Amino acid sequence: MGTNWLIGKGAQRGMLTTLAALMLGVTLVACGGGSGDRAEGSGHGGEDEHAHEDEHDHGDEHGHGEEHGHGDEHGHGDGHSDEVKLSEESIRAYGVSVEKVARRVLTPTFVAPARVIFDPDAIAHVGSPISGRVTEIKASVGDSVQKGDVLLVIQSPELGAAQAEFLRQRVAASSSAPSVELARKALERARSLHAAEAMALSEVQKREIELNTVLASHAAASSEASAAESKLKMLGMDRAALAALAKSQAIDPLYRVRAPLSGQVVEREATLGELVDPEREALLVLADPTSILVVADVPETQARSVAEGSAAILTAASGESMRHEGTTAFVSPSVDPATRTVSVRIEVKDTSARLRPGMFLRAEISSSTGEAPLAVIAVPEDAVQTVEGSPSVFLPVKGEKNTFSKRVVRIGPAVGGMVPVLSGLKEGESIVASGSFILKAELGKEGAAHEH
């Protein structure tokens, strides 16, 4: 039984050895065959590899290229991810315009707060030179009036009394005139009689005294009449009104407040039935709305760099979209002791500008440094958009109508509405000068759709 067991174990070992040898042989045959095939058919294997590469390149050129072209049409292609195509309607609607990049001389500027005011020469504070009660109001705020139009009617006892005095003094002056003539003729007759020795010298001297007395009385009456007339003129009656009063002899205590200039009623302080007097600064304020000025409050430290004729760009401090060009017309020689600023008057070139008195503005004024600035490549502020955190401009794509591509640029601070481009653009290249905001918006939408 032991012998049989030993024999069985030996047979098992032999079988295992034979099986391992067979497996090793198969493995060697497989490796050797593969190596032989590769060595013998290396040319064929290389052709297969290049054929595969050619097929890949062919796919990029045709298969993938067609897909890329499709992406270009919609702005989703990998090579055209920074391009936007707009319709003709969008270009017209958003004012997209293209211009060539050029070099410009950018003068250094500084910013100062400014305000819009009425031209002092085209505004009037209308008051009343007499005391009285307002009986009629003929103008309201916003009404346009012409010079000489009646604005208010005031019933004034003062005016009536002044008219009565004028008439009385006028009568006194006119009634004294015949007495002067009679006294003059009496003196002439007395002198003639004295020459003929028919009248004593004392009588002649008496006639002279009478004439002088009458002349003094007439002069006083005339002076009083003139004073009464002057008072009525001060109360607003002109020559025509005085002549009418003298002719009619009718007292009219109604004083008519008239417009001293043509313009618009911008303020009215008087109310019907109110008592008014000359101490009131104004019952109404008239102004010519087309005559306005812009006054900038320039810091004392910047005032020395401002000269008459300097260019100024005005924008709304409220953020409202507006931009107006102007020039400095007057620089105050004094400094406001409270604000330490110098008033600079700016004349606006566009007389149709939407500027209203009381409006606050932002004035960008060119500095007069005395040094001639150099010309640099510059584009309008509207041409530059911040895309993905970088300043960028849009350029029309050659050969593709209404298609624009984004280009990142490096810029400096804006000067007078123009932005200096330090790198990224060349002189003569075409860019979108206005309406680029719609390109930025469309590029953002297409990028979001592509990521989705």
Side-chain angles (χ1 to χ4, degrees), residues 332-346:
S332 175
S334 60
V335 178
D336 188 319
T339 62
R340 308 307 303 173
T341 59
V342 175
S343 293
V344 177
R345 190 175 68 193
I346 300 173

Side-chain angles (χ1 to χ4, degrees), residues 280-321:
R280 290 279 294 273
E281 181 180 354
L283 302 178
L284 302 98
V285 177
L286 303 181
D288 182 357
T290 63
S291 298
I292 58 175
L293 295 176
V294 176
V295 178
D297 298 318
V298 177
E300 182 181 2
T301 55
Q302 295 284 358
R304 67 189 65 183
S305 65
V306 182
E308 293 185 9
S310 297
I313 302 297
L314 303 174
T315 54
S318 62
E320 180 183 354
S321 177

Side-chain angles (χ1 to χ4, degrees), residues 405-430:
S405 63
K406 182 198 78 173
R407 183 185 294 179
V408 176
V409 294
R410 189 165 62 91
I411 62 175
V415 176
M418 301 298 294
V419 178
V421 179
L422 307 179
S423 64
L425 279 179
K426 296 181 180 179
E427 186 176 359
E429 286 188 291
S430 296

Side-chain angles (χ1 to χ4, degrees), residues 310-428:
S310 297
I313 302 297
L314 303 174
T315 54
S318 62
E320 180 183 354
S321 177
M322 67 162 56
R323 183 179 184 275
H324 303 294
E325 296 182 356
T327 54
T328 56
F330 174 75
V331 180
S332 175
S334 60
V335 178
D336 188 319
T339 62
R340 308 307 303 173
T341 59
V342 175
S343 293
V344 177
R345 190 175 68 193
I346 300 173
E347 291 184 349
V348 182
K349 296 179 181 180
D350 184 8
T351 56
S352 63
R354 296 181 292 109
L355 300 177
R356 298 178 179 274
M359 181 182 291
F360 289 101
L361 301 175
R362 177 180 178 272
E364 185 177 354
I365 304 174
S366 299
S367 299
S368 300
T369 59
E371 300 179 359
L374 300 176
V376 297
I377 293 178
V379 299
E381 282 186 283
D382 291 343
V384 181
Q385 300 292 332
T386 301
V387 182
E388 296 179 350
S390 301
S392 306
V393 296
F394 289 87
L395 293 79
V397 178
K398 293 182 180 180
E400 298 185 34
K401 186 178 180 182
N402 300 339
T403 303
F404 307 91
S405 63
K406 182 198 78 173
R407 183 185 294 179
V408 176
V409 294
R410 189 165 62 91
I411 62 175
V415 176
M418 301 298 294
V419 178
V421 179
L422 307 179
S423 64
L425 279 179
K426 296 181 180 179
E427 186 176 359

Side-chain angles (χ1 to χ4, degrees), residues 147-400:
K147 183 178 181 179
D149 288 352
V150 177
L151 306 176
L152 299 172
V153 178
I154 300 173
Q155 186 175 23
S156 173
E158 179 185 1
L159 178 61
Q163 290 177 352
E165 179 66 14
F166 167 76
L167 293 176
R168 187 177 68 80
Q169 295 298 338
R170 183 181 175 83
V171 170
S174 61
S175 62
S176 65
S179 301
V180 173
E181 188 63 26
L182 289 174
R184 183 176 285 110
K185 287 181 179 181
L187 177 59
E188 290 175 356
R189 184 171 177 275
R191 286 174 177 173
S192 298
L193 291 174
H194 176 68
E197 298 182 353
M199 181 177 286
L201 179 59
S202 60
E203 290 295 327
V204 176
Q205 293 174 341
K206 182 180 179 180
R207 299 297 187 275
E208 288 179 349
I209 293 173
E210 290 176 351
L211 176 59
N212 290 334
T213 301
V214 173
L215 284 173
S217 178
H218 178 67
S222 298
S223 178
E224 292 293 336
S226 296
E229 180 179 347
S230 297
K231 183 175 183 179
L232 288 178
K233 288 180 179 178
M234 291 178 61
L235 295 179
M237 294 187 69
D238 55 16
R239 290 182 178 275
L242 289 170
L245 174 62
K247 183 178 180 180
S248 65
Q249 301 288 306
I251 296 175
D252 181 12
L254 297 180
Y255 177 72
R256 295 161 181 83
V257 180
R258 298 181 181 274
L261 53 79
S262 298
Q264 189 177 44
V265 180
V266 295
E267 293 182 26
R268 195 192 79 187
E269 299 296 335
T271 56
L272 194 64
E274 180 182 7
L275 285 172
V276 297
D277 56 50
E279 294 183 1
R280 290 279 294 273
E281 181 180 354
L283 302 178
L284 302 98
V285 177
L286 303 181
D288 182 357
T290 63
S291 298
I292 58 175
L293 295 176
V294 176
V295 178
D297 298 318
V298 177
E300 182 181 2
T301 55
Q302 295 284 358
R304 67 189 65 183
S305 65
V306 182
E308 293 185 9
S310 297
I313 302 297
L314 303 174
T315 54
S318 62
E320 180 183 354
S321 177
M322 67 162 56
R323 183 179 184 275
H324 303 294
E325 296 182 356
T327 54
T328 56
F330 174 75
V331 180
S332 175
S334 60
V335 178
D336 188 319
T339 62
R340 308 307 303 173
T341 59
V342 175
S343 293
V344 177
R345 190 175 68 193
I346 300 173
E347 291 184 349
V348 182
K349 296 179 181 180
D350 184 8
T351 56
S352 63
R354 296 181 292 109
L355 300 177
R356 298 178 179 274
M359 181 182 291
F360 289 101
L361 301 175
R362 177 180 178 272
E364 185 177 354
I365 304 174
S366 299
S367 299
S368 300
T369 59
E371 300 179 359
L374 300 176
V376 297
I377 293 178
V379 299
E381 282 186 283
D382 291 343
V384 181
Q385 300 292 332
T386 301
V387 182
E388 296 179 350
S390 301
S392 306
V393 296
F394 289 87
L395 293 79
V397 178
K398 293 182 180 180
E400 298 185 34

Side-chain angles (χ1 to χ4, degrees), residues 2-89:
T3 303
N4 291 337
W5 180 82
L6 291 174
I7 295 173
K9 295 290 287 183
Q12 288 178 357
R13 289 192 188 97
M15 292 176 63
L16 290 174
T17 301
T18 303
L19 180 60
L22 288 173
M23 292 178 65
L24 178 61
V26 171
T27 301
L28 291 174
V29 171
C31 291
S35 175
D37 290 341
R38 179 174 296 175
E40 294 175 3
S42 59
H44 178 70
E47 290 177 359
D48 288 344
E49 183 177 355
H50 287 293
H52 178 70
E53 291 178 357
D54 291 342
E55 181 180 358
H56 177 70
D57 293 340
H58 180 74
D60 281 348
E61 180 181 355
H62 297 284
H64 184 67
E66 292 176 357
E67 182 180 356
H68 177 72
H70 177 73
D72 174 54
E73 182 180 354
H74 296 280
H76 296 159
D78 293 339
H80 294 250
S81 59
D82 288 340
E83 292 185 4
V84 178
K85 184 171 184 179
L86 296 179
S87 64
E88 292 287 351
E89 292 76 9

